[in-house]
C-alpha cells in the first residue's frame, strides 16, 4: 500500500505526537502507512502525489481568517505551501481530508467565507448529517446524528456553490463539506476521543485558548461525552483510497 501523508502544524511535541498516534489508531494504520510532515518545523518538501494514497491535514494553532498583519512568518509560509498543494489536489481531485484546519484551508482555497461568526468552545457537540451526508461514502455507517469533539475560533459561514454540505451542528452551519468527489473537510475532529481532548486541554492550558484555571473543568466536561462515530470517517477514508 502506498502511504497516506499527514500534514501537521502543532509546534508542541506532546500535542503533535498525540495527534499522530490518534490518526494511526483510528485510521487502522501502521507508521510506515502514515508519513508525517510537520509544516511548522520546516518548509514543505517537493511532493510527488503518485507516491501517496491520500493527504490528511490535521488541526492547527493557525487561524486562516486572522488579519495578515497578525499572522507569523511561519503561518504565512504554511498557508502559501498548502494553497499551492491544494491547487494540484483540487485539479486532480486527489483524496484529501482536512480536519478542523481543513475547513479554513480547503474552504478559503475554494472561495468559502471563513470568519469568526460560528466558533464553538472546546467540548462535545451533536453533529447532524445532511441528506447528501447520509449518501456520501465517506460517512457510511454513521448515524444521522452523533457526538464529536470540537473547539474552533473560525468556521465556514458561506460555502461556494460547487461545494456539497455534508454535516452541521446547531451552532455551526458547516461542519463537513466535499469538493468535487474526493476532497473533504471537517470542522469537528474525527481523530479525537475524550482522552485525546483532555490531553490537548492540558498541553494548551497556557496557550491563550481558554483561561488556564478552567482546564480541569473543561477536562471533566469532556469526559461526560463519548465520541466513537467520527472515527469511522478515518477508517472509511483509508479503506476507500488505499492503493
Amino acid at each position: 500500500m502506498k502511504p497516506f501523508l499527514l500534514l501537521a502544524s502543532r509546534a508542541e511535541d506532546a500535542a503533535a505526537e498525540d495527534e499522530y498516534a490518534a490518526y494511526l489508531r483510528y485510521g487502522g494504520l501502521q507508521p510506515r502507512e502514515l508519513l508525517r510532515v510537520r509544516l511548522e518545523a520546516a518548509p514543505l518538501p517537493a511532493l510527488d502525489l503518485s507516491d501517496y494514497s491520500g493527504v490528511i491535514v490535521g488541526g492547527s494553532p493557525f487561524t486562516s481568517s486572522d488579519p495578515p498583519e497578525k499572522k507569523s512568518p511561519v503561518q504565512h509560509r504554511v498557508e502559501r505551501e498548502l494553497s499551492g498543494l491544494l491547487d494540484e489536489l483540487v485539479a486532480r481531485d486527489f483524496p484529501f481530508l482536512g480536519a478542523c484546519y481543513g475547513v479554513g484551508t480547503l474552504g478559503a482555497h475554494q472561495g468559502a467565507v471563513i470568519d469568526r461568526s460560528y466558533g464553538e468552545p472546546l467540548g462535545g457537540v451533536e453533529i447532524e448529517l445532511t441528506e447528501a451526508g447520509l449518501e456520501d461514502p465517506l460517512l457510511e455507517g454513521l448515524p444521522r446524528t452523533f457526538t464529536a469533539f470540537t473547539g474552533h475560533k473560525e468556521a465556514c459561514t458561506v460555502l461556494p456553490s460547487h461545494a456539497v454540505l455534508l454535516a452541521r451542528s446547531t451552532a455551526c452551519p458547516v461542519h463537513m463539506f466535499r469538493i468535487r468527489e474526493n476532497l473533504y473537510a471537517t470542522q469537528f475532529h474525527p481523530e479525537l476521543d475524550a482522552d485525546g481532548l483532555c490531553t490537548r486541554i492540558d498541553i494548551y492550558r497556557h496557550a491563550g485558548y481558554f483561561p488556564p484555571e478552567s482546564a480541569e473543568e473543561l477536562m471533566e466536561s469532556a469526559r461526560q461525552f463519548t465520541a466513537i462515530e467520527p472515527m469511522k470517517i478515518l477508517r472509511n477514508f483509508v479503506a476507500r483510497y488505499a492503493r
Side-chain angles (χ1 to χ4, degrees), residues 194-205:
D195 287 341
L197 182 58
C198 288
T199 296
R200 291 188 191 175
I201 291 170
D202 188 45
I203 291 169
Y204 291 120
R205 69 169 68 213

Side-chain angles (χ1 to χ4, degrees), residues 169-213:
S169 73
T170 300
C172 182
V174 179
H175 252 288
M176 185 174 182
F177 65 88
R178 187 185 75 238
I179 297 293
R180 303 193 68 179
E181 295 300 318
N182 300 306
L183 296 106
Y184 294 85
T186 69
Q187 189 64 76
F188 59 87
H189 286 273
E191 85 287 3
L192 261 190
D193 55 21
D195 287 341
L197 182 58
C198 288
T199 296
R200 291 188 191 175
I201 291 170
D202 188 45
I203 291 169
Y204 291 120
R205 69 169 68 213
H206 297 293
Y209 296 115
F210 50 84
E213 62 273 13

Side-chain angles (χ1 to χ4, degrees), residues 73-90:
V74 172
Q75 181 173 350
H76 279 293
R77 173 181 59 76
V78 170
E79 289 181 352
R80 287 194 304 271
E81 291 170 347
L82 285 176
S83 181
L85 178 60
L86 283 166
D87 287 344
E88 183 176 3
L89 292 171
V90 173

Side-chain angles (χ1 to χ4, degrees), residues 85-107:
L85 178 60
L86 283 166
D87 287 344
E88 183 176 3
L89 292 171
V90 173
R92 294 177 55 171
D93 197 14
F94 192 84
F96 173 87
L97 176 61
C100 196
Y101 191 45
V103 167
T105 53
L106 180 59

